Structures are given as structure tokens and as C-alpha cells.
Amino acid sequence: MDFRYKINALEILLNQCYATLYCRRSLRRRNFASKISTNSLRRQEVTDIAVLGGGITGLASAFFLSKELPNARITLYEGSSRLGGWLHSKQIDVGNGKVVFEQGPRNLRPSIPNGLVTLDLTRQLGITHEVLTTSKDSFAAQNRFLYYPDHLVRMPGPGTSIWQLISMLLREPVFKGVLRGFLGEPAQTRRILSLSDESIGSFLSRRFGSPVADNIVSAVLHGIYAGDIYQLSARSILPKLWLYEGQDRSIMYGFGKAWSENAQPVPFQDSTVMAELQEKLFDSEGKPLDGVERLQEIQKSSVFTFKRGIGQLADSLESALKANPNVQVRIGTRIDALSLIDDNPNPKIQLGIAKTGDTWCEPGDYVYSHVLSTLPGKTLNAITRPSNSLPPLSVTPSVTVMVVNLFYLNPALLPVHGFGYLLPRSLPFEQNPERALGVVFDSDASIGQDSMPGTKITVMLGGHWWDGWPSYPDDEEGAYMAKLILARHLNITEEPQIVRVGLQKECIPQYTVGHNERMAIVSAMLKTKFKGRLTVAGNSYTGVGLNDCVRAARDVAMGLARGERRTGLENFVGGEKWVKQDPKKALEWWHSSKG
């Protein structure tokens, strides 16, 4: 069955009103009196909550719920033997020091608003002193490379002069046709408005020409989604560009218009979160609360991580949850059934537990007033009863990535310094027969993390290139492939002191064409089939990055605390909703505190 359901094209018509912080506060004050009675009753219904999945979304969801609903009983279920999901940080002894290897995410962007939500989480956990930052004038921030067709190419960015940019565009083969594509974009015909979505590759090739899509954007998305741009959704992943073409007939014209008017389109839900963060982080006089000034310092950086790796965030959440008497954490406990007990007026969710590695949790059926699933969409659909199934979730595929960490005792091994390099889909096969996605220069990207001098590199392999493979390379083969890539691309032939290989199976969901429409349908299904008692969050739905997952966890927790029967997918219903904001004025409260 094809679940790429059609939604009326009129849904892409956007809200163009100007929303200010003052107006949103006024609306909340006016509506509070009429809603307080209903919401109070609904808050009383949320007494026993089950959180499914102990990855970063599940951990953060349980933490936010414990703060917003301090009297609720929360049980977190994780099927594997460890918490943290794809966050894999390991400190390894090397000689007289230690080296941190990351098998999952390694750096976070302090973006607004999602990065700020994560930063506030570190404040609440009391670990901001453990944060390591990479400054915006560092090699890692200023030097990011592509490899094409047989050498590293520095991408335009901070510190690039206009003459250097012109030289790059005219000299480097990777940029051939790019300048012509940008100059000619305004003359391209706008899509028909009945087109509800298309692939990123098709969308950008149509607007700018295939060199932009195949040489540049494919490499960037290899580093984020490990995905194929001719499968990934333009509307889901590039929503602002999709908006500009539909609204202004041209992406370049849309950007120019927004810049000249000082009015950038911002997702409505982002503007709401920013207003809520302002109220939470600053007092009534505009003075930052304790610890907020440290967040402001971190937010000025290019990226940040933690002294013991990104996994330190998961470890801190685990410690906080286990210290809370209202929270139970059940590891090694697999859920194999989920259904609605439609006992009006208070329906509940029944979970079937088939296997448990927790002596305090016996196999059997358990009933909860609300369930928050952070499981992959396919997994959630698989455990629902046939009458409660959510078929569109089974459409979302995921890719497998092999991560190879290498540490060399030679601290001067890299031919250039920077964050690393990515490989575009247009790279000749003989330059990438291993099907690598990119290489990270960890020694430059996470300075201060290791106590042993040397060169630390991570090679990422697979992703969509390995789709359909009957089997994957083993650890020895993966290490060999990574060393071949470094020898071919960087002329590194020394043997590493340490190699660590990890195969992350189906780790990154792919938001393929029609993702937004499918999620809107799932939202409606959750409301009708589960009566508002089942909520979803995680990288299968609203963003694959760690910041996206923490933001989703925060949003669903806040909704439940307000007494809303949320699905977690409300923002997909009715199409994207935008407001216009002057970016400088919208963030004055953050950048110019009165402390």
C-alpha cells in the first residue's frame, strides 16, 4: 500500500502575521482563565507514565516529565543492556593519558532554539562546567573541506574574502556550474503548487542545476543523514527553501526579500519555544538566572561537547533519573505489545512485557495513564495490536553507518587543519570504492578532550551506499577500509596506535519524500486510535540530530504538563506555519541581558 497520501495544496499557504513576544504573552494570559479548569483535570489524569526507549530522547523526556509533573510516577523501559542509545563515548587509556572515542554524535551546535534547549538541559543537570567549546575563529570552525575530484577543497566560510571566493568558484572543479546556477535561479519556473513534495536532489537540480545538488549538497547531507538526496524530502529537510519557492517564486528572491525587510520566516513553534525560554531563563527585570551567563558564553561558540564525550550527557540524565524516587528505570526490558484499554472516560494504555533483565519487573501486562514512545517508528508500529496499528510509520527507512576511530601517536600527521571533509555522491568511484561518507579530524574538532598528544581521526562509511547489502564488513575489514581511505586522500600511511570500529545498524532514519504528509496522518491516527494517551518523539519524526531529539522531548513533556493530549506530531497537521521576525530584535533578550 502506498502511504504517500495527498494533502490539499492550500495547506502550504502560510501565516504571514508578525508575532511578538508581548503578543504571545498577552494571549496566554487571556486564555489561561478559560483553560485552567480543563487543563487541571487533564493534569490529574497523567499519573502513571511509561517512557519507551532509553536513548537520548527517552532519557530527556523522562527528565523533563519529572520536572514538569513532579507527582507523576514515571517508568522508563529500555530493551538493551545500556542507556544512551546512539551516544557511544569511551575513554581509552593510551600510554600516560586518555583518549575519547565517539561512535555516535561528537559535537553539538549551540543553535537557537534547539541548541539552547540542550544547553538549558546541561544547566539543569549541573554539568555546564564539563562543557568544552570550539571557538568560531578556530581551524575547525573556519576550515571545512570536500574531497573532489582527487584533492581536498576548502569550502567558503568564515574568513573567506570575496577574492578567495571568486578564485574558488572559477578554479575548483567541484564548483563548476555553481555560480551560473545561483545567478540563473530567479529565472527558473516555480513548481506547480499542487506538488506536495519532491526529493532534495530533484528540487535543487531544478532550481540551481545538478552541480549544486550532486557536488555540494549531497556531501553536506552525507554528514547529517548519511542519505541519498534523490530520496530525502525537500519539504521536510529544507522547509525554508521550499517556502521561498512556493511563496516568492524564487529561492534567491525570497532570501533577498527577507534580508531587505529584516523579516525572516520562522516556524511558529520555534517562536513559541523562544518566548517560553525567555520566561524560564530570565527574571521579570530581564536579569539572567543562575547559570544562564555560562550558557550565553557557550552559545557564542561554533560547537560544543563534554570532557568525557557526548555520552556524558546521557550519563548525567541517567544519574538524575535514578536519584528521583518517582522514576523507575528498567533496563533489558523488551516491550512486545501496546494497545488501548478504552475505558471511558479514562482510557489507558496496556503494555505487554515479554522479556526482562530487571529483577523488579516481571513479564506480563502493565497499564499506564499515558505512554511516550521514543522507539523507532517501525518498532512502534510492530508492537501495536492490528486494530491500533500505525502503518505509515513502517514506510520510514533507516541507514547503517560504520564508524572507525583511529588514534596516532604522531601529533603532526594531518596535511591540513580543520573540522574534516565530506565526500559528494559525484566523486569518481576510484576515489571512494569503500563508499565512505566523510572524515572528521577529531584532534582539531574537540580540543581539550584528550590528555594524550597525538592525532585522532574518525572515518564514517556506508549510509545509503550500503542499502541492500546482504552483509556488512566486519571490524577488521572496516579498519582496513578506513586506512585505505586515509592513505589515498591524506597520504597517511602510518599504522595507528589504536583502532575502534563500530557498526551502527539502522541508526539514522531517512525522511523520504512524503514524510510530512505521513506524519500528519500518523498524528490523526494517534488521536483516534489511542485517545490522546500515546505520544511519540525521537529521531524518526521531527529531526535526526541530538538537539532535535532533546527539543522534541521537552516539547512533549511541556504539553503533557499543560494538560494537552499531544501526539508529538501536531506541527505536521495543516502544513507548516510560519511567522515573520526581525532576527536581531527577536533575540535581543538573549544577547543583551541586564545582568
Side-chain angles (χ1 to χ4, degrees):
M1 183 179 292
D2 184 5
F3 291 102
R4 292 183 174 88
Y5 296 89
K6 300 297 182 184
I7 290 182
N8 195 303
L10 291 177
E11 289 176 355
I12 69 170
L13 294 177
L14 305 166
N15 182 350
Q16 298 298 326
C17 68
Y18 286 75
T20 65
L21 296 176
Y22 174 79
C23 291
R24 286 193 295 276
R25 287 175 174 171
S26 299
L27 284 171
R28 282 200 297 274
R29 283 196 293 268
R30 288 198 298 271
N31 292 335
F32 183 70
S34 62
K35 290 184 177 180
I36 188 168
S37 178
T38 301
N39 285 352
S40 295
L41 289 173
R42 287 184 176 175
R43 282 172 62 98
Q44 294 172 13
E45 296 173 358
V46 185
T47 55
D48 292 284
I49 306 171
V51 177
L52 309 186
I56 185 60
T57 313
L59 291 168
S61 297
F63 179 81
F64 287 129
L65 286 167
S66 71
K67 294 294 184 181
E68 299 297 331
L69 294 167
N71 296 322
R73 295 181 294 275
I74 301 166
T75 305
L76 185 147
Y77 291 102
E78 167 57 39
S80 73
S81 59
R82 60 176 288 274
L83 298 172
W86 300 117
L87 277 62
H88 289 274
S89 303
K90 187 174 183 179
Q91 281 190 317
I92 297 177
D93 292 322
V94 184
N96 297 322
K98 292 181 181 294
V99 174
V100 176
F101 279 161
E102 298 279 15
Q103 288 280 299
R106 65 203 60 247
N107 297 100
L108 301 174
R109 287 191 176 277
S111 56
I112 292 178
N114 291 9
L116 187 52
V117 173
T118 303
L119 283 176
D120 184 47
L121 176 60
T122 68
R123 180 185 69 90
Q124 295 182 59
L125 291 169
I127 58 171
T128 55
H129 64 286
E130 294 290 318
V131 171
L132 293 174
T133 60
T134 299
S135 68
K136 290 183 178 179
D137 59 1
S138 66
F139 285 126
Q142 300 207 2
N143 296 338
R144 295 170 184 260
F145 301 90
L146 298 184
Y147 189 89
Y148 185 89
D150 58 4
H151 60 277
L152 293 178
V153 180
R154 181 177 178 269
M155 297 301 292
T160 303
S161 70
I162 185 64
W163 302 114
Q164 288 174 319
L165 176 61
I166 292 173
S167 175
M168 288 180 190
L169 293 175
L170 296 178
R171 177 171 49 88
E172 288 292 350
V174 74
F175 295 120
K176 184 178 180 180
V178 169
L179 181 59
R180 181 172 64 252
F182 274 84
L183 293 176
E185 191 276 338
Q188 300 301 320
T189 303
R190 181 176 64 176
R191 68 176 184 269
I192 57 173
L193 292 183
S194 60
L195 181 65
S196 61
D197 199 1
E198 69 179 308
S199 73
I200 290 175
S202 170
F203 173 56
L204 293 181
S205 295
R206 184 168 54 76
R207 298 306 309 178
F208 297 100
S210 59
V212 172
D214 295 340
N215 295 353
I216 310 298
V217 178
S218 71
V220 173
L221 292 184
H222 277 167
I224 301 172
Y225 286 87
D228 179 0
I229 60 170
Y230 289 93
Q231 298 294 324
L232 295 171
S233 161
R235 182 178 174 184
S236 296
I237 297 172
L238 304 175
K240 190 176 289 188
L241 273 61
W242 186 261
L243 166 70
Y244 283 148
E245 187 198 27
Q247 175 182 275
D248 300 310
R249 297 180 177 271
S250 160
I251 296 171
M252 298 298 290
Y253 178 77
F255 272 112
K257 179 182 175 184
W259 178 80
S260 64
E261 295 177 353
N262 287 324
Q264 297 287 340
V266 175
F268 177 77
Q269 61 269 24
D270 286 1
S271 65
T272 302
V273 169
M274 291 306 297
E276 293 171 352
L277 286 172
Q278 179 178 1
E279 293 180 352
K280 181 176 182 180
L281 298 177
F282 292 79
D283 64 20
S284 59
E285 297 179 357
K287 295 180 179 179
L289 303 181
D290 289 344
V292 173
E293 290 182 347
R294 170 62 175 153
L295 301 189
Q296 291 175 313
E297 294 174 5
I298 299 171
Q299 204 274 321
K300 295 175 182 177
S301 65
S302 172
V303 294
F304 69 95
T305 184
F306 299 90
K307 294 177 181 178
R308 299 199 303 274
I310 289 292
Q312 192 170 348
L313 178 60
D315 294 341
S316 299
L317 283 165
E318 179 180 353
S319 297
L321 293 174
K322 289 182 175 178
N324 189 323
N326 283 350
V327 179
Q328 296 179 339
V329 178
R330 303 304 189 202
I331 298 175
T333 303
R334 192 184 77 240
I335 309 296
D336 73 341
L338 185 153
S339 59
L340 177 74
I341 301 176
D342 197 355
D343 184 15
N344 287 323
N346 293 312
K348 292 179 170 56
I349 300 290
Q350 179 173 289
L351 300 178
I353 296 178
K355 172 192 172 185
T356 176
D358 192 317
T359 57
W360 295 98
C361 182
E362 296 293 332
D365 294 330
Y366 293 77
V367 176
Y368 293 90
S369 64
H370 199 96
V371 170
L372 168 56
S373 173
T374 68
L375 301 173
K378 281 186 177 181
T379 304
L380 175 61
N381 182 56
I383 65 174
T384 56
R385 300 278 171 83
S387 59
N388 298 131
S389 66
L390 305 165
L393 291 183
S394 66
V395 175
T396 303
S398 295
V399 296
T400 295
V401 176
M402 177 170 275
V403 180
V404 184
N405 307 122
L406 307 101
F407 180 78
Y408 301 83
L409 293 177
N410 182 354
L413 197 59
L414 293 171
V416 295
H417 288 285
F419 192 87
Y421 66 94
L422 295 168
L423 306 174
R425 72 188 314 272
S426 54
L427 187 66
F429 177 78
E430 60 269 20
Q431 289 293 334
N432 188 24
E434 299 82 7
R435 292 310 195 188
L437 300 163
V439 176
V440 180
F441 303 158
D442 294 300
S443 302
D444 291 343
S446 304
I447 294 175
Q449 204 171 55
D450 304 325
S451 57
M452 181 69 182
T455 298
K456 185 170 65 173
I457 302 173
T458 296
V459 179
M460 296 168 291
L461 302 152
H464 74 97
W465 292 126
W466 289 2
D467 285 349
W469 283 26
S471 62
Y472 300 112
D474 60 25
D475 288 2
E476 184 177 351
E477 291 168 333
Y480 178 70
M481 293 163 72
K483 287 187 281 187
L484 283 178
I485 291 164
L486 296 181
R488 186 185 309 116
H489 294 173
L490 304 179
N491 199 30
I492 294 176
T493 56
E494 290 186 24
E495 277 298 310
Q497 182 74 9
I498 299 175
V499 178
R500 185 176 179 226
V501 181
L503 184 66
Q504 316 302 338
K505 291 185 177 180
E506 297 189 353
C507 60
I508 306 178
Q510 302 293 286
Y511 298 171
T512 55
V513 174
H515 178 79
N516 281 23
E517 295 173 336
R518 292 190 294 272
M519 294 305 101
I521 292 166
V522 173
S523 184
M525 287 180 168
L526 288 169
K527 279 191 172 183
T528 57
K529 294 188 176 187
F530 291 96
K531 312 297 184 184
R533 301 297 177 148
L534 175 61
T535 303
V536 298
N539 65 0
S540 287
Y541 310 105
T542 56
V544 301
L546 189 151
N547 285 337
D548 302 322
C549 292
V550 173
R551 160 72 185 278
R554 178 251 177 219
D555 286 354
V556 295
M558 293 291 290
L560 285 174
R562 288 192 292 262
E564 301 168 359
R565 294 185 178 178
R566 295 181 63 87
T567 67
L569 304 175
E570 286 82 3
N571 292 328
F572 291 105
V573 178
E576 299 83 354
K577 302 166 187 66
W578 302 83
V579 295
K580 285 186 175 182
Q581 290 183 344
D582 181 328
K584 291 184 178 179
K585 290 183 179 179
L587 292 174
E588 281 181 350
W589 63 272
W590 174 251
H591 294 301
S592 57
S593 67
K594 301 176 183 178

